[in-house]
Amino acid sequence: MQYQHPDRLQCAILDWAGTVVDFGSFAPTQIFVEAFAEFGVAVSLEEARGPMGMGKWDHIRTLCDIPAIAERFEQAVGHAPSDDDVTALYERFMPLQIEKIAEHSALIPGALEAIAELRQRGLKVGSCSGYPAVVMDKVVALAERNGYVADQVVATDEVPNGRPHPAQALANVIALGVSDVAACVKVDDTTPGILEGRSAGMWTVALTCSGNALGLTHEAFRALTAEKLAQERARVARLFEASRPHYLIDTIADLPGVIDDINARLARGETPQAS
């Protein structure tokens, strides 16, 4: 038996918030701010966005490890944030998230059309998220009402390790019967999500304008001047540099062109691991 290098993509694994739904990725970030506030701890939206893409418990732990936030927590609560405190914050975060997820459930403009084009090119559509399953159930149901159904959904608490580990992406590969990780592309708006794809041996596409890094509504994004947009693209590109995405595009609407380019590279014998 001889190894057969894939000559076409078989699967796209898409993130959810900031990638397919919730332009600007506001649903998770705003709830972090509100959950901390209920403990008397002020956390800015910008601070809350920092670890985006990780599982939510890990996200809260990372926020609590930031010295400025840890100091505010200690002033409010009387001790440094422990893992028990992180769990208490997480347990408050979860019902708030479930309650308010519908407020930020709109599909990103162009998402349905782009995904339809991927399917026309023969790709399966996998998905994963930093949300746990209890939140993903609601996200998936809301997306279905708006016309989007992924072939596979893997929540962060359905694998041993969430992002930046490759487990969620690889769980999609197994469930969808993909023959080679080099025939997959991971699309995400966060550094942990790109690292997930890289660690899984996949092609990776980072979204610069629809997600957490830019952090604007679609209306605010469209209102940016050409000069300001260029500055923001450059800033976000710098944020992604260390994770080494293969491609940078504004939103998922630009993805079909990238798929064509990756297919051409695969046909030439190129691999994501070597790029």
Side-chain angles (χ1 to χ4, degrees):
M1 185 176 291
Q2 185 175 351
Y3 173 66
Q4 295 289 326
H5 180 275
D7 59 3
R8 292 188 66 80
L9 286 170
Q10 299 173 26
C11 179
I13 301 172
L14 309 178
D15 178 49
W16 284 82
T19 298
V20 177
V21 300
D22 186 12
F23 199 105
S25 194
F26 285 95
T29 48
Q30 183 58 44
I31 306 305
F32 284 122
V33 173
E34 294 181 23
F36 272 88
E38 293 199 5
F39 285 73
V41 182
V43 172
S44 70
L45 195 61
E46 183 178 2
E47 287 173 325
R49 287 187 180 280
M52 192 57 64
M54 303 174 75
K56 302 315 177 191
W57 192 97
D58 292 330
H59 187 130
I60 294 169
R61 178 71 268 180
T62 302
L63 288 175
C64 286
D65 288 339
I66 296 171
I69 295 177
E71 182 179 351
R72 281 177 241 150
F73 189 98
E74 186 164 2
Q75 289 174 350
V77 178
H79 59 265
S82 66
D83 281 357
D84 286 342
D85 294 312
V86 172
T87 298
L89 280 160
Y90 178 80
E91 289 174 348
R92 186 63 198 112
F93 168 87
M94 288 305 302
L96 283 171
Q97 185 72 91
I98 294 168
E99 175 188 343
K100 299 192 176 184
I101 196 73
E103 296 176 11
H104 302 282
S105 62
L107 293 174
I108 286 171
L112 283 181
E113 294 82 359
I115 292 166
E117 289 195 41
L118 267 57
R119 294 192 188 281
Q120 288 173 3
R121 287 161 171 76
L123 274 71
K124 297 176 181 178
V125 178
S127 71
C128 54
S129 171
Y131 286 134
V134 67
V135 178
M136 277 312 306
D137 288 345
K138 189 163 185 180
V139 173
V140 168
L142 290 165
E144 185 173 0
R145 291 181 202 170
N146 291 324
Y148 172 54
V149 179
D151 298 320
Q152 182 65 28
V153 181
V154 180
T156 191
D157 58 348
E158 294 178 324
V159 295
N161 296 293
R163 301 164 180 170
H165 296 276
Q168 286 178 270
L170 295 176
N172 275 275
V173 169
I174 294 167
L176 294 173
V178 177
S179 66
D180 196 312
V181 292
C184 295
V185 57
K186 175 68 202 303
V187 185
D188 209 291
D189 67 302
T190 68
T191 293
I194 296 300
L195 290 172
E196 171 196 17
R198 270 291 191 177
S199 298
M202 301 175 177
W203 300 94
T204 54
V205 180
L207 304 176
T208 59
C209 295
S210 64
N212 182 67
L214 185 61
L216 297 178
T217 65
H218 185 248
E219 293 73 19
F221 160 64
R222 293 290 302 273
L224 292 175
T225 65
E227 180 180 6
K228 180 63 174 175
L229 180 56
Q231 291 172 353
E232 289 297 283
R233 283 189 181 122
R235 177 185 66 80
V236 173
R238 289 192 295 270
L239 294 177
F240 278 115
E241 277 180 357
S243 59
R244 297 178 53 226
H246 295 88
Y247 296 88
L248 290 162
I249 58 176
D250 283 358
T251 79
I252 193 172
D254 305 311
L255 186 58
V258 171
I259 300 304
D260 292 340
D261 192 70
I262 294 173
N263 279 336
R265 294 174 71 173
L266 284 169
R268 293 195 297 268
E270 294 185 41
T271 65
Q273 298 92 334
S275 302

